[in-house]
Amino acid sequence: MVMKKTLLTLMVIAVYVLHQDFWNWRTAHPIIFGILPVGLAYQAGYSILAAIMMAVLVRFAWPKHLESAAPEKPASPPKEGRA
Amino acid sequence: MIPVIVVGIYLLVIAIIGSVAFRQSKASTEDFFLAGRTVGSMVFFLSIFATNMTAFAILGSSGQAYRQGIGIYGLMAASSGFLIPLTIFFIGTRLWAIGKRFGHQTQVAFFRDRWECSGIGTVIFILSVVMLVPYMIISIMGGGRVLHDISGGMVSYWAGCLVVALVVTVNVFFGGMRGTVWVNIFQTILFLLFGVVALAVISQHLPGGFGERIASMSADTKTSFLVTRERMPERYFWSYTLIPLSSIMFPHMAIMCFAARQVTAFKRTVVLYPLAIMAIWLPCVFLGVIGAHLYPGMKNPDGILLRMLTENAPVWLAGILGAGIISAVMGSDTHQVLAVSTMFTKDLFGHYGGKEKYGEKGSVHFARGFIVVVTAIAYVVALVTPESIFELAVRFAFSGFAAMAPVMVAALFWKRSTKYGALASTLWVALCLAAVWWLQNYSNAMAPKPGQAAAVIFPALGHLFDRSTANVTSYGFLPVVPMVFGSAILMIVFSLATRPPSTETIRKYFETTQARKDAA
């Protein structure tokens, strides 16, 4: 369980870091598919990677315990001054 | 004339859907504001996406790409594709469950109950409304401008704003959340198709094709910045990755999370979200860059896509694509109007005794009356106030809501968080917004031209406050960076220094129903 959480956290951090593609900053080459400057193609690929990351999270980190949420009682007014 | 007719038919369809939804409605606030918490999986995705996408996704993205080049995609779209689904996954699902269990319909209701304090909810309510209302007004302005441009000037700006305000009012007044999400299905499909169709049509007419244009821009030192990020500072680019934290904090997005029928509706949404953003932004950014090469020197680059469509697409298709743009405007605007109405009805009217006095039916009447009044005021303000003021306010609102994210994270995940921590964070955000607003106006005269280095605002303070072409920065970072981290630090420090909420409240929010039953 801990291992799974660690791996998933590392995955999210890795994907976040990959957004900063400093190596593509000052060049348009190679032009991908003959029309997309590399910086734009990379970030488009990044969007696909983000979707894959979310699919992995849904598969392995889905908050299943929330699925059983059911109405308990009407929201009560706050109890002023108790904190 | 044809584009006006097509857009007119579209607006009529929207109004009809709203009135059909009215026939299915019940006289309860939960039904009016949240469609009775019955929004299914696919509709939820289409609707939450429409809630978050404005005309900026089409016109603003291409306009910004015209000015700054391809970097805009990574700056705004790719970072949103990463962070928004993550916040929906971690925060949206929890909000849904809390709403389902305890009946909350707004974030403010949750904060009040979570920290056992009415006042903290009211403070957050005020800040949220101050940040949300300009966004609502600018949506009406954007709609009026788009109708004016699409019609080639036949529809005046004031009439365009009026049409948008009226259709939004009819849709929300009669349909509430149900009417809004039904309309969103139609709207989202239309504007998701927009980019791909626009790209295909324009490519057919472009002399030399896209590849030749890109190669030519890359080879010319005057235009190479458009196909690279050589003029986009790395710190600015990184700072922007915090802005999408704002998404889930916008009241209309959070309220949408309460409306899902089941939490499993979020599964599809979070996976499809980055791809949907890409489907809209990638063609629009790409066309904006091509447009900068085709039509240099435009005074209003936000009109580049409309110009490319007008010159390259048949008139009937331009009309349909225009309807796609209007969809983006209205999809978000209807949710904003509904959210403001929900907040005033639940967090003010209901919270301070209106519900007890007038009942559920009376609350829905109040909400409907409020919708008419607020859109009428927004319309008048849209006509008499310069758009630039609201553009600035909206830009700040994104930073402000992003900086409120630590408050929500603490409320959901940190038992030890307190109302004083939340209050300190909220006041910090309000103070920062006021300070940045003042600094922005103070430094307008010294703003450098695009491509030039940032100007130091107060030489004695070094680079603490710099002024770039469009923004105040601090050591090259956007204000959102100190705002988010300051908010998080204050939340932690003040919470640790004050008494936590009662054990009863902590158990209520942090133990599952079964665990509490077992413990009892």
Side-chain angles (χ1 to χ4, degrees):
Chain A
M1 190 65 179
V2 176
M3 179 64 118
K4 190 168 85 171
K5 270 191 178 174
T6 309
L7 285 174
L8 290 172
T9 307
L10 285 174
M11 175 191 73
V12 173
I13 293 170
V15 174
Y16 177 68
V17 170
L18 283 171
H19 181 248
Q20 310 297 308
D21 59 328
F22 57 87
W23 56 93
N24 290 326
W25 221 263
R26 293 174 192 284
T27 178
H29 296 279
I31 309 275
I32 310 297
F33 305 130
I35 58 167
L36 287 177
V38 66
L40 186 57
Y42 177 90
Q43 292 291 338
Y46 182 86
S47 297
I48 297 168
L49 179 66
I52 294 169
M53 177 193 78
M54 290 314 304
V56 171
L57 285 177
V58 165
R59 174 75 179 80
F60 296 105
W62 180 249
K64 208 168 170 48
H65 63 282
L66 300 179
E67 289 181 8
S68 58
E72 293 193 6
K73 59 178 180 181
S76 53
K79 295 147 191 168
E80 195 97 45
R82 289 181 59 191
Chain B
M1 189 64 191
I2 292 173
V4 179
I5 294 170
V6 173
V7 173
I9 293 169
Y10 162 80
L11 293 174
L12 189 66
V13 170
I14 298 292
I16 290 170
I17 293 174
S19 58
V20 171
F22 175 64
R23 286 179 208 150
Q24 295 216 355
S25 63
K26 298 167 192 163
S28 77
T29 53
E30 188 164 271
D31 193 76
F32 187 73
F33 294 132
L34 301 178
R37 302 186 200 265
T38 57
V39 179
S41 175
M42 198 60 201
V43 176
F44 180 72
F45 161 65
L46 293 171
S47 197
I48 204 165
F49 191 67
T51 307
N52 209 25
M53 288 293 123
T54 64
F56 188 87
I58 294 176
L59 299 180
S61 61
S62 51
Q64 286 298 327
Y66 183 101
R67 296 181 186 95
Q68 300 188 53
I70 59 157
I72 286 299
Y73 182 85
L75 185 82
M76 296 181 176
S79 59
S80 296
F82 169 78
L83 203 50
I84 293 177
L86 266 185
T87 55
I88 295 174
F89 183 87
F90 286 107
I91 296 175
T93 51
R94 269 75 183 179
L95 279 179
W96 173 86
I98 282 166
K100 190 89 171 174
R101 287 173 64 190
F102 307 120
H104 300 317
Q105 295 180 27
T106 64
Q107 296 149 294
V108 167
F110 164 53
F111 290 141
R112 279 177 169 149
D113 197 41
R114 168 69 181 81
W115 286 312
E116 301 168 342
C117 176
S118 170
I120 185 62
T122 307
V123 173
I124 293 174
F125 168 86
I126 293 168
L127 183 63
S128 299
V129 168
V130 167
M131 292 194 290
L132 182 60
V133 167
Y135 201 11
M136 197 184 81
I137 293 172
I138 209 164
S139 294
I140 292 175
M141 288 173 156
R145 194 159 27 80
V146 169
L147 277 177
H148 174 266
D149 292 347
I150 288 172
S151 67
M154 270 179 63
V155 178
S156 62
Y157 172 71
W158 71 265
C161 289
L162 182 64
V163 169
V164 171
L166 275 177
V167 174
V168 166
T169 305
V170 168
N171 187 224
V172 183
F173 182 93
F174 288 110
M177 177 66 91
R178 183 172 286 105
T180 304
V181 296
W182 283 4
V183 166
N184 288 158
I185 300 169
F186 178 49
Q187 287 170 326
T188 310
I189 292 169
L190 204 56
F191 72 72
L192 273 174
L193 289 173
F194 174 91
V196 179
V197 175
L199 195 69
V201 170
I202 292 168
S203 70
Q204 298 293 313
H205 293 80
L206 197 71
F210 290 134
E212 201 175 291
R213 290 272 163 195
I214 294 291
S216 157
M217 289 162 87
S218 168
D220 185 344
T221 50
K222 285 181 185 166
T223 55
S224 63
F225 77 93
L226 289 166
V227 288
T228 65
R229 276 166 282 177
E230 60 193 46
R231 286 193 189 172
M232 190 172 279
E234 286 90 342
R235 289 182 182 185
Y236 173 75
F237 189 83
W238 176 78
S239 300
Y240 229 94
T241 60
L242 297 179
I243 293 283
L245 282 173
S246 59
S247 173
I248 197 75
M249 293 307 296
F250 271 104
H252 49 293
M253 282 291 280
I255 288 170
M256 194 58 223
C257 290
F258 289 121
R261 183 188 299 142
Q262 292 176 323
V263 73
T264 46
F266 289 80
K267 285 184 177 179
R268 184 176 280 164
T269 296
V270 296
V271 176
L272 290 179
Y273 208 99
L275 302 176
I277 288 185
M278 185 173 75
I280 294 182
W281 277 73
L282 190 58
C284 292
V285 166
F286 185 74
L287 288 173
V289 170
I290 296 286
H293 197 237
L294 271 176
Y295 310 106
M298 276 180 73
K299 280 186 181 169
N300 176 21
D302 286 359
I304 183 62
L305 262 190
L306 285 175
R307 178 165 179 185
M308 290 173 92
L309 285 172
T310 311
E311 295 188 9
N312 295 292
V315 281
W316 62 270
L317 188 59
I320 293 174
L321 293 174
I325 298 172
I326 290 285
S327 290
V329 174
M330 298 184 110
S332 182
D333 202 21
T334 47
H335 279 281
Q336 288 158 11
V337 170
L338 188 63
V340 171
S341 162
T342 308
M343 290 171 71
F344 269 88
T345 307
K346 302 302 293 185
D347 299 334
L348 274 193
F349 177 80
H351 182 71
Y352 290 107
K355 190 184 165 190
E356 280 76 26
K357 200 170 176 184
Y358 300 102
E360 278 285 293
K361 209 170 176 179
S363 297
V364 175
H365 288 323
F366 175 85
R368 287 204 164 107
F370 186 83
I371 286 162
V372 174
V373 172
V374 81
T375 42
I377 294 172
Y379 170 66
V380 173
V381 173
L383 292 190
V384 299
T385 317
E387 197 168 348
S388 56
I389 289 178
F390 290 104
E391 278 174 357
L392 195 60
V394 169
R395 211 147 28 100
F396 287 177
F398 275 85
S399 298
F401 278 118
M404 289 299 288
V407 175
M408 178 62 85
V409 171
L412 289 170
F413 297 102
W414 190 31
K415 295 177 187 177
R416 186 67 183 73
S417 63
T418 73
K419 62 180 178 182
Y420 294 106
L423 181 65
S425 294
T426 308
L427 294 179
W428 164 256
V429 173
L431 185 73
C432 286
L433 288 174
V436 177
W437 182 280
W438 181 80
L439 277 170
Q440 182 87 15
N441 289 319
Y442 178 80
S443 61
N444 272 342
M446 62 180 80
K449 290 182 177 166
Q452 292 180 345
V456 175
I457 298 178
F458 303 112
L461 297 177
H463 290 286
L464 184 60
F465 301 117
D466 285 348
R467 175 61 197 249
S468 68
T469 305
N471 301 288
V472 171
T473 59
S474 184
Y475 298 104
F477 297 106
L478 287 170
V480 70
V481 176
M483 284 172 73
V484 168
F485 286 104
S487 170
I489 291 166
L490 287 169
M491 185 79 211
I492 294 167
V493 171
F494 276 78
S495 290
L496 291 176
T498 51
R499 259 175 57 189
S502 65
T503 313
E504 184 193 339
T505 296
I506 290 176
R507 285 185 61 197
K508 176 178 174 183
Y509 283 102
F510 289 92
E511 285 181 11
T512 60
T513 312
Q514 192 55 48
R516 272 183 292 129
K517 275 181 189 166
D518 293 346

